[in-house]
Amino acid sequence: MSNLRTPLYQWHADHKARMVPFGGWEMPVQYAGIAPEHKAVRSGAGLFDISHMARVNFGGSGALAFLEKVFTNSVTTMKDGQVRYGLVCKDDGGILDDVLVYRWPYGFAAVINASNREKILAWLEQHRAGFEVEIQDQTLSTTMIAVQGPKSVELVQGMFADDVTTLKYYYAMPTRYKDKPCVVSRTGYTGEDGFEVIVPNALGVTLWEEFVAKGAVPCGLGARDTLRLEAAMPLYGHELNETIDPIHAGLAWAVKLDKGDFIGRDAIQQAAADTQKPVRVGLEIEGKRAAREGCVLTDADGTPVGTVTSGSLCPGLDKSLAMAYVDPQFASVGSALDVDLRGTKIPATVVPLPFYKRKK
């Protein structure tokens, strides 16, 4: 099956982006390069095509009860316009995806990882019996663009019918762009302040080019990856998968065991008592070589004690950083380990997460 293309595909190609397959889509991995794009987001404003992310709407009188059943975090306690991070888990507590849920006065929406779109839509369909809920996949009819960085607030001023700069972090509003309905949320995946905008496909290129004209730097998935790594945000397929539970992934804060029953609740409750399973940690690696996914971590005796899930030389901090799962006795900050980089053992130290935190 050929990869899908976002409404911005031609723009990326015309502007010499290097295109790669990602999650079933043809996506730009970089324009000028990962380092300058990364630094543009940390110091100014970067622009990301995130139209590959799945966008799903939920309506009907049973939508709230349905979402409470399939989502680990609380939906009932959300205010209108609020956005909340959480997980969709299997009965055994394994993570099917990490998602954002939006609450509106008239219903709900979710943003789902591109590579999990069909899996999650099938999972929702499988569990909707007995609920008065309509599920509508909006992914292919809309364009989603993220503008991220300290200058993103001044960039969005005056672009929409409402003043979106009044939004609090992890809140969203329906508004209008060029007199067409759109949604703007104060969310992102970079560790910076910023906004994510959903517009009808016909306005995707217009919105993108307006951001570029205002000074936003087009960025690819490469910089998105190094930015989210510095901010210690997990990536599905790396830090999260169907064999990992939210507790050992360090995401207990996104699970509300006391909210009532939901899929995976009992298993997650049991996982909280399991002190033997590997846990997610941050690593700083000596030198400037990147530790890639799958690199083995060993203790002083050379015994394997963990595995790297994501790693890169991070341009913002100019350090080789990684996230990994390690045996609990090696998870405390300061633990000294070695990482095997193609046969060479390089010292690595467990450090606190996140590696990077923006100044408020």
Side-chain angles (χ1 to χ4, degrees):
M1 194 178 105
S2 62
N3 288 311
L4 296 164
R5 291 177 170 181
T6 80
L8 293 163
Y9 173 85
Q10 198 56 52
W11 196 98
H12 302 316
D14 291 347
H15 291 79
K16 307 293 183 279
R18 183 149 72 81
M19 306 301 288
V20 297
F22 180 84
W25 296 76
E26 288 285 323
M27 298 299 294
V29 71
Q30 64 180 61
Y31 292 88
I34 291 173
E37 292 167 24
H38 180 114
K39 288 171 181 173
V41 174
R42 289 279 180 255
S43 62
L47 198 59
F48 299 85
D49 178 4
I50 54 170
S51 307
H52 62 311
M53 303 285 282
R55 295 170 288 289
V56 179
N57 290 344
F58 301 86
S61 59
L64 173 61
F66 175 68
L67 285 168
E68 286 289 27
K69 178 184 176 179
V70 297
F71 188 58
T72 60
N73 214 332
S74 170
V75 186
T76 307
T77 56
M78 291 172 71
K79 299 181 176 77
D80 284 344
Q82 195 168 0
V83 184
R84 189 164 278 175
Y85 177 89
L87 306 151
V88 177
C89 289
K90 299 189 298 179
D91 287 312
D92 66 3
I95 300 169
L96 287 163
D97 201 14
D98 60 334
V99 304
L100 291 183
V101 168
Y102 293 59
R103 181 168 190 163
W104 302 119
Y106 45 80
F108 300 86
V111 174
I112 296 158
N113 282 299
S115 57
N116 290 332
R117 176 173 157 238
E118 289 175 5
K119 175 177 82 172
I120 294 298
L121 285 169
W123 181 259
L124 296 173
E125 198 58 46
Q126 187 186 329
H127 293 281
R128 71 188 288 182
F131 292 93
E132 189 65 48
V133 61
E134 294 116 38
I135 302 169
Q136 193 180 24
D137 181 5
Q138 298 276 318
T139 311
L140 301 181
S141 61
T142 55
T143 300
M144 191 169 186
I145 293 170
V147 58
Q148 300 280 295
K151 292 190 177 160
S152 57
V153 177
E154 60 191 70
L155 252 68
V156 299
Q157 277 175 338
M159 285 181 67
F160 302 95
D162 299 275
D163 181 5
V164 299
T165 66
T166 61
L167 283 169
K168 291 188 287 194
Y169 192 51
Y170 269 69
Y171 275 80
M173 67 164 71
T175 180
R176 297 180 83 77
Y177 175 70
K178 306 287 186 200
D179 210 32
K180 291 285 189 288
C182 71
V183 168
V184 181
S185 60
R186 199 158 192 168
T187 48
Y189 191 54
T190 62
E192 293 301 332
D193 197 0
F195 300 85
E196 294 178 322
V197 187
I198 301 169
V199 292
N201 279 343
L203 285 172
V205 174
T206 307
L207 176 65
W208 180 272
E209 288 187 331
E210 183 170 355
F211 276 131
V212 172
K214 286 182 149 210
V217 174
C219 299
L221 293 176
R224 189 166 154 87
D225 195 45
T226 55
L227 289 158
R228 70 92 196 168
L229 177 58
E230 283 187 350
M233 292 174 162
L235 174 61
Y236 197 88
H238 292 257
E239 287 70 45
L240 311 177
N241 62 43
E242 292 183 26
T243 69
I244 293 169
D245 66 77
I247 306 301
H248 294 89
L251 298 175
W253 58 271
V255 178
K256 297 294 179 282
L257 292 169
D258 58 357
K259 74 169 188 168
D261 196 30
F262 59 90
I263 298 170
R265 180 177 179 267
D266 293 349
I268 295 168
Q269 201 154 19
Q270 284 171 356
D274 185 342
T275 56
Q276 302 302 308
K277 275 180 80 171
V279 294
R280 178 166 67 106
V281 298
L283 296 171
E284 191 172 313
I285 292 142
E286 201 173 274
K288 296 293 170 73
R289 289 177 66 187
R292 299 297 183 192
E293 180 189 14
C295 287
V296 174
L297 296 157
T298 52
D299 64 10
D301 301 327
T303 308
V305 296
T307 311
V308 171
T309 51
S310 295
S312 182
L313 180 60
C314 289
L317 300 172
D318 196 31
K319 290 175 179 175
S320 178
L321 302 172
M323 285 192 282
Y325 278 87
V326 301
D327 293 345
Q329 63 268 39
F330 298 98
S332 54
V333 169
S335 295
L337 300 169
D338 289 312
V339 59
D340 187 335
L341 299 185
R342 295 185 184 162
T344 307
K345 292 205 167 174
I346 308 280
T349 308
V350 176
V351 295
L353 292 177
F355 305 107
Y356 168 85
K357 212 168 192 173
R358 70 180 163 102
K359 297 171 184 70
K360 293 290 184 213

